[in-house]
Amino acid sequence: MTQIWAWTASEIARAIRDKQISATEVAQAHLARADSVNPHINAVVDSFHDETLDAARQIDAQIARGEDPGPMGGVPVTIKVNVDQRGHATTNGLKLQKGLIANEDNPVVSNLRKAGAVIVGRTNTPAFSLRWFTRNDLHGQTLNPRDPSVTPGGSSGGAGAAVAAGLCAIGHGTDIAGSVRYPAYACGVHGLRPSLGRVPAHNTTGGDRFIGAQIMAVSGPLARSIADIGLSLEAMAQRDPRDPWQTVAPLAQGAFDKRVALSVAPDGMAVDDAVSAALLDAADRLRAEGWTVDEVACPPMRDAARINAILWMAEHQFAADDLVAREGDADAVFVTRQMRADAGEPDLERVMTALQSRAGLIRAWETFLARYPVLLCPVSGELPFEQQSDVRSEADFRRIFEAQLTQRALPTLGLPGLSVATGQVGTLPVGVQLIAGRFREDILLAAGAAIEKGGPPVHVAEPGPR
């Protein structure tokens, strides 16, 4: 019989609702799994067994009273340490914030609780949630449970590793430049970056962020099945007045043409043969499910990525320069220097011009996606990178930065993107990215399910002593 910690969120919620198993038993199974596996991967950096079991017992009590526990009743989830969770430190991977205890939940955490989810731990992120690798001086390094020689991704690397290793059924992540989509890709699971405004978020510990983060950073789920991505998205997206950017819109937006644009190498980016093969295979899987797939050029990615860099680094320079210096995390110092060099001096004229250009790019993309409701493209131009390779040299950083073009571009546009795991090349996971129009996550889920149906199921990784 399959171990409880290998069940999907949908299977867990159904079994608990049908009284085939208790939420307490599910929580105990996942906590035991974490006790056994987490020491080998360091995905969860804050655990609280008593709190978790109390929450699970409350779900069981609701069911015993004949009450609805919610669509995610009893489902084990993790929360990234850059998001407020009442009674826990919002460290964002920083020694400076190890005592920054939240007095209330971030809206995304509130929504997961309201849906009945049980929080089983908080997951690691690089310092400042800045990299596609996950290591910091406070919590240490997270390893990829499928192959410890490669990155688990970042910045939601702890979430990706936790989902892949069966420490939770759903991992919460955040994404401003691929931080949900890339950990999903690197750890061989699925991950959704929702549309800007779909999922409410706000950290009272940090106050409001500046315009770059306000229009580019979002929270989203990582999971081992596409159905679970849909289940957790619906839970996360409930209305919360604390986020002024939230737009309440139905998840089902109506009929659409099953028409896909395939772009193997957007804007001429270099793409490994294994990544190209995964894209062509995904296209075949879509065709087998009745989708039309045309290989065409997509609207500009590089211009969107440039705007991302200008806005993000302008905010970083304005609000975080002193923090980077005080924290003294060598990786963050190196990466910040490289990203600032790429972005150039973010003076007022460049920021204003970037914001102006953003409107035209969004117009071009939405027009394109009106003809092709979904774009199939790489998550990354390469298979998962060797651990810590971005800080080996400036040349290594530039190569990796280029390979992540599509991840850097999408947040500028406010569009949703889904990273779909499609298999492995040896020990290394591989996958593809789907992009749709704003608030058309339903199209992404439909296309993702078609790709998922045609390939191997996502299995739980079995990490051990290294």
Side-chain angles (χ1 to χ4, degrees):
M1 181 178 178
T2 307
Q3 297 282 357
I4 295 169
W5 41 259
W7 295 1
T8 66
S10 303
E11 290 169 339
I12 289 170
R14 184 166 52 250
I16 290 173
R17 184 179 295 275
D18 293 345
K19 300 182 180 180
Q20 296 172 1
I21 194 169
S22 71
T24 302
E25 290 173 301
V26 170
Q28 289 171 333
H30 283 80
L31 292 175
R33 174 69 173 175
D35 287 343
S36 172
V37 169
N38 194 59
H40 305 303
I41 60 174
N42 194 37
V44 172
V45 294
D46 181 11
S47 57
F48 26 84
H49 287 31
D50 289 346
E51 183 180 329
T52 296
L53 292 172
D54 283 346
R57 292 185 191 107
Q58 290 177 32
I59 297 295
D60 290 333
Q62 284 182 281
I63 292 173
R65 294 192 298 267
E67 299 171 3
D68 184 354
M72 292 184 67
V75 172
V77 305
T78 55
I79 303 298
K80 188 176 176 181
V81 292
N82 68 348
V83 159
D84 285 353
Q85 179 182 335
R86 185 179 62 252
H88 296 272
T90 307
T91 69
N92 202 16
L94 305 177
K95 301 188 300 294
L96 291 170
Q97 294 184 186
K98 65 182 179 181
L100 187 63
I101 307 299
N103 292 320
E104 64 179 63
D105 288 334
N106 186 293
V108 69
V109 178
S110 296
N111 279 343
L112 285 168
R113 291 194 202 268
K114 289 173 185 176
V118 173
I119 302 172
V120 296
R122 289 173 63 77
T123 53
N124 204 12
T125 188
F128 300 97
S129 295
L130 190 62
R131 303 168 61 207
W132 296 295
F133 300 74
T134 300
R135 185 177 78 172
N136 59 68
D137 292 341
L138 175 62
H139 302 303
Q141 179 169 262
T142 297
L143 299 182
N144 191 322
R146 301 204 188 275
D147 185 335
S149 71
V150 298
T151 178
S155 61
S156 308
V163 171
L167 311 190
C168 60
I170 301 293
H172 157 268
T174 62
D175 189 314
I176 195 173
S179 289
V180 165
R181 291 164 289 149
Y182 189 63
Y185 174 83
C187 290
V189 299
H190 311 303
L192 175 70
R193 175 196 160 84
S195 305
L196 173 66
R198 172 66 82 182
V199 173
H202 171 62
N203 276 349
T204 57
T205 56
D208 291 319
R209 298 177 71 179
F210 296 95
I211 189 63
Q214 286 193 33
I215 64 175
M216 296 194 299
V218 301
S219 282
L222 297 91
R224 296 188 301 272
S225 80
I226 297 297
D228 285 0
I229 294 290
L231 174 69
S232 51
L233 173 65
E234 185 169 7
M236 290 180 174
Q238 296 304 305
R239 175 77 177 115
D240 192 300
R242 290 175 290 172
D243 186 347
W245 286 98
Q246 187 181 19
T247 300
V248 179
L251 290 176
Q253 290 279 315
F256 56 87
D257 292 333
K258 295 172 70 173
R259 189 173 176 84
V260 179
L262 168 63
S263 184
V264 175
D267 274 8
M269 65 182 289
V271 177
D272 285 356
D273 289 344
V275 175
S276 298
L279 288 163
L280 296 176
D281 174 58
D284 287 340
R285 297 185 199 182
L286 286 162
R287 292 186 182 103
E289 292 299 312
W291 294 70
T292 299
V293 182
D294 298 329
E295 188 163 1
V296 298
C298 65
M301 289 275 190
R302 293 192 185 280
D303 292 348
R306 173 62 56 189
I307 292 171
N308 178 296
I310 292 169
L311 296 180
W312 193 9
M313 288 301 102
E315 175 165 337
H316 217 264
Q317 178 175 313
F318 187 74
D321 264 6
D322 177 59
L323 283 175
V324 173
R326 286 167 55 204
E327 180 67 20
D329 183 290
D331 296 338
V333 170
F334 179 85
V335 170
T336 299
R337 187 166 62 244
Q338 304 310 310
M339 293 180 70
R340 288 275 289 275
D342 172 80
E345 187 63 29
D347 57 26
L348 178 61
E349 181 179 355
R350 294 192 76 215
V351 170
M352 295 301 288
T353 302
L355 289 168
Q356 180 186 41
S357 300
R358 177 176 177 266
L361 280 173
I362 294 173
R363 186 178 303 113
W365 273 91
E366 289 285 13
T367 300
F368 176 83
L369 291 166
R371 180 181 180 194
Y372 292 99
V374 62
L375 170 69
L376 172 61
C377 68
V379 181
S380 173
E382 299 185 21
L383 294 174
F385 309 120
E386 185 180 344
Q387 276 281 21
Q388 293 297 109
S389 52
D390 65 328
V391 294
R392 286 191 308 215
S393 70
E394 292 183 2
D396 282 305
F397 179 87
R398 286 194 297 270
R399 189 198 89 239
I400 288 168
F401 200 66
E402 166 63 14
Q404 309 296 66
L405 174 63
T406 63
Q407 293 171 54
R408 296 184 287 117
L410 192 60
T412 299
L413 307 168
L415 303 175
L418 178 65
S419 180
V420 182
T422 58
Q424 290 190 185
V425 180
T427 61
L428 302 183
V430 70
V432 299
Q433 181 170 204
L434 301 172
I435 296 172
R438 193 172 180 205
F439 298 119
R440 291 314 308 249
E441 288 89 352
D442 56 339
I443 301 178
L444 296 183
L445 294 172
I451 294 172
E452 178 184 49
K453 182 178 179 181
V458 174
H459 65 276
V460 172
E462 284 292 351
R466 306 299 178 187

